[in-house]
Amino acid sequence: MSDCIMTLPLRVEPFTEDFMGTLSWGVLGNLLLRISEKHATANEYGYEALIQKNKAWVLSRLSIVMSELPKTYDEFTLSTWVTNSFRQFTTRNYTMRKASGEVLGYATSVWAMIDTQTRAPYNIDQFDVKGTFAERIVADDVPIAPPERIRLRAIEPVASYTTGVSDIDINGHVNSIRYLQLLLNLFPIEKYRQERLVRIDIMYAKEAYCGDELRLFLEHQEGGKYATQIVNVTNEVVVKALFYFE
Amino acid sequence: MSDCIMTLPLRVEPFTEDFMGTLSWGVLGNLLLRISEKHATANEYGYEALIQKNKAWVLSRLSIVMSELPKTYDEFTLSTWVTNSFRQFTTRNYTMRKASGEVLGYATSVWAMIDTQTRAPYNIDQFDVKGTFAERIVADDVPIAPPERIRLRAIEPVASYTTGVSDIDINGHVNSIRYLQLLLNLFPIEKYRQERLVRIDIMYAKEAYCGDELRLFLEHQEGGKYATQIVNVTNEVVVKALFYFE
């Protein structure tokens, strides 16, 4: 049971803060990816183990709900565990706590196993012949509402962006968190000063590659809720996301 | 003498690699900023100590020369020390080594102390009344050629970019390493596959802020040497940089 839940002691490093001096959402998202990979590697289903069999994990959904963000040099812990698996999909949860134990926030993610040669989904049970993956499942949910469905009526993009080499990660496609940063940039800096971003739900629909021209859409829906979308040149949805400000 | 040189044991974390699976130049640059701040904080001239007196460090020049980049989970060390100080300027050097001790690369940087209210340069000796800064100087150079002067004749921008909140750091301006990533994006991904980026010299001329429209210039100069430049809407140079490929 000891490696079913991985907990890392972390600290907000200098130059990982946003302009307000608290851990940036981009770095927070990157830390979630990092611990996911470390936990997977510790359990024999990480990047290296999968790539040898032409498989990879692709992030499909991510929800992050924060009640507070730590500031420079603050110590905190990040925990992760896998809570279920169904065909190619698996749900991975996260809890972030202050050193005192108080919860800073929760996150939940859905990952899909794909075949790297065909890019088609691959059944996790077929990969997990030894049952290592199934054995490590912990059925603990995080206390956050399930993400809402994301629908946009907006027809005019508010920004465009052509991806470059710095946006591409080891999987050869645009890094999942880079999209998040591009979408965070759609809101004026004053909004972050005056309100508090409390929740992000992001849904990954299609991969983008180096040199792709992306168009970004933003729609205020109700209260502090904003829907966003990124499409590629052939108008296919790459990413959709909801942002909740309070 | 013990805190004159700071050495951190580090490891290439998952999701800090570029598309080739080695530590990305962006994350490497961020690690240089991080250790600079940690070393400064350990010596009583870090962000917090300065901001209380309305002072801050601003990165003025950075040169990075790498013979090899470590890959995921590789252990390495990063060392830094301050090698001189002259009026508002100080030179800080860095060495990056494999766990075995073999050198991976060197970096050198020039930082300026400014008054955060006037943005004017501030003499380091005037800040360093106790002599703490002067005491920690180690006169060890790194074995790299001094950076060349950067001149561009290019008159047409090759790209443009409007900065957003994700690009802004705790100092309220565009993060120094974000410019580096924007400039790395000017080269096609194939170039990184076929050649090896061995050296970057970057010169910071002017600060940019959230929402600024930047234009980027690129000029092939000779052999593997490329000059780049970022200007703002009023045509002022924000950043100039040289990239050397082999």
Side-chain angles (χ1 to χ4, degrees):
Chain A
M1 275 297 283
S2 67
D3 46 5
C4 294
I5 301 179
M6 174 181 271
T7 298
L8 296 181
L10 295 166
R11 205 165 62 147
V12 181
E13 294 285 317
F15 289 101
T16 64
E17 322 93 341
D18 64 15
F19 74 101
M20 292 189 293
T22 48
L23 182 67
S24 75
W25 284 89
V27 172
L28 168 57
N30 183 269
L31 289 175
L32 298 178
L33 299 190
R34 275 192 216 182
I35 196 173
S36 305
E37 171 55 29
K38 289 173 119 158
H39 178 262
T41 291
N43 286 300
E44 303 171 44
Y45 48 84
Y47 179 85
E48 277 300 328
L50 265 67
I51 209 71
Q52 283 166 23
K53 295 180 176 170
N54 298 315
K55 303 295 176 291
W57 291 114
V58 173
L59 184 58
S60 171
R61 297 198 75 113
L62 177 65
S63 293
I64 311 175
V65 181
M66 298 302 293
S67 51
E68 191 183 332
L69 287 161
K71 60 177 206 307
T72 324
Y73 295 120
D74 278 356
E75 291 183 351
F76 63 95
T77 62
L78 181 59
S79 302
T80 190
W81 64 96
V82 165
T83 190
N84 67 44
S85 125
F86 175 67
R87 294 198 306 218
Q88 77 267 32
F89 293 113
T90 180
T91 304
R92 172 182 288 284
N93 288 341
Y94 313 82
T95 307
M96 196 168 148
R97 289 175 192 275
K98 292 186 187 183
S100 64
E102 197 185 327
V103 173
L104 289 163
Y106 297 104
T108 184
S109 61
V110 176
W111 298 74
M113 186 178 283
I114 62 157
D115 184 297
T116 53
Q117 294 181 312
T118 61
R119 309 308 281 182
Y122 193 83
N123 193 308
I124 294 169
D125 294 339
Q126 260 177 280
F127 177 84
D128 187 37
V129 283
K130 288 194 289 174
T132 317
F133 189 90
E135 238 169 51
R136 303 295 201 281
I137 283 176
V138 179
D140 283 0
D141 286 331
V142 282
I144 63 177
E148 290 177 49
R149 187 153 175 185
I150 312 175
R151 288 176 206 225
L152 271 86
R153 284 167 300 265
I155 48 167
E156 284 299 323
V158 291
S160 63
Y161 180 74
T162 303
T163 62
V165 71
S166 297
D167 305 318
I168 308 303
D169 72 18
I170 196 168
N171 295 301
H173 55 230
V174 175
N175 177 262
S176 311
I177 300 308
R178 191 66 195 114
Y179 297 116
L180 174 57
Q181 292 177 315
L182 291 172
L183 293 173
L184 289 166
N185 285 356
L186 298 182
F187 302 96
I189 198 164
E190 293 72 28
K191 191 165 182 72
Y192 293 93
R193 275 205 194 92
Q194 289 157 10
E195 300 173 41
R196 201 166 64 79
L197 177 58
V198 291
R199 175 174 183 138
I200 298 171
D201 295 305
I202 185 160
M203 192 270 289
Y204 298 93
K206 203 170 163 62
E207 297 171 350
Y209 301 92
C210 192
D212 280 5
E213 290 170 43
L214 303 176
R215 283 176 301 142
L216 292 83
F217 295 79
L218 169 67
E219 187 175 279
H220 181 205
Q221 298 202 319
E222 50 175 317
K225 179 181 163 192
Y226 294 80
T228 62
Q229 183 168 278
I230 301 178
V231 306
N232 63 20
V233 277
T234 54
N235 239 6
E236 293 165 304
V237 173
V238 174
V239 167
K240 283 186 183 191
L242 289 174
F243 292 80
Y244 295 85
F245 287 86
E246 272 184 10
Chain B
M1 276 297 286
S2 66
D3 45 5
C4 294
I5 301 180
M6 175 180 270
T7 298
L8 296 180
L10 295 165
R11 206 166 61 146
V12 181
E13 293 285 316
F15 289 102
T16 64
E17 322 93 341
D18 63 14
F19 74 100
M20 292 188 292
T22 49
L23 182 67
S24 75
W25 284 88
V27 173
L28 168 57
N30 184 269
L31 289 175
L32 298 178
L33 299 190
R34 275 192 215 181
I35 196 173
S36 306
E37 171 54 28
K38 289 173 120 159
H39 178 263
T41 291
N43 287 299
E44 303 171 43
Y45 47 85
Y47 179 85
E48 277 300 328
L50 265 68
I51 209 73
Q52 282 167 24
K53 296 179 176 171
N54 297 315
K55 304 293 176 291
W57 292 115
V58 174
L59 185 57
S60 170
R61 298 198 72 115
L62 177 64
S63 293
I64 311 174
V65 181
M66 299 301 294
S67 51
E68 191 182 333
L69 287 161
K71 61 178 206 306
T72 323
Y73 295 120
D74 278 356
E75 292 182 350
F76 63 95
T77 62
L78 181 59
S79 302
T80 190
W81 64 97
V82 165
T83 190
N84 67 43
S85 127
F86 175 67
R87 295 197 305 219
Q88 77 267 33
F89 293 113
T90 181
T91 304
R92 174 182 285 286
N93 288 340
Y94 312 83
T95 307
M96 196 169 148
R97 289 175 192 275
K98 292 186 187 182
S100 64
E102 197 185 329
V103 173
L104 290 163
Y106 297 103
T108 184
S109 61
V110 176
W111 298 74
M113 187 178 283
I114 61 157
D115 184 296
T116 53
Q117 293 179 313
T118 62
R119 309 308 280 182
Y122 193 83
N123 193 307
I124 294 170
D125 293 340
Q126 261 178 279
F127 177 85
D128 188 37
V129 284
K130 288 195 290 176
T132 316
F133 190 89
E135 238 171 50
R136 303 295 200 282
I137 283 176
V138 179
D140 283 0
D141 286 330
V142 283
I144 63 177
E148 290 178 49
R149 188 153 175 186
I150 311 174
R151 288 176 206 225
L152 271 86
R153 283 167 303 262
I155 49 166
E156 284 298 325
V158 291
S160 63
Y161 181 74
T162 302
T163 62
V165 71
S166 299
D167 305 318
I168 308 302
D169 72 19
I170 196 168
N171 296 301
H173 55 230
V174 174
N175 178 261
S176 312
I177 299 308
R178 190 66 195 114
Y179 297 116
L180 174 58
Q181 292 177 317
L182 291 172
L183 293 172
L184 289 166
N185 285 357
L186 298 182
F187 302 96
I189 198 163
E190 293 72 27
K191 191 165 183 71
Y192 294 93
R193 275 205 194 93
Q194 290 156 10
E195 301 172 41
R196 202 166 63 80
L197 177 59
V198 291
R199 175 174 183 140
I200 299 172
D201 295 304
I202 184 160
M203 191 270 289
Y204 299 94
K206 202 170 164 61
E207 296 172 350
Y209 300 92
C210 192
D212 280 5
E213 289 170 45
L214 304 175
R215 283 175 301 141
L216 293 82
F217 295 80
L218 170 67
E219 186 176 281
H220 181 205
Q221 298 202 320
E222 49 174 318
K225 179 181 163 193
Y226 294 80
T228 62
Q229 183 168 279
I230 301 179
V231 306
N232 63 19
V233 278
T234 53
N235 239 7
E236 294 166 303
V237 173
V238 173
V239 167
K240 283 185 182 192
L242 290 173
F243 291 80
Y244 295 85
F245 286 87
E246 273 183 9

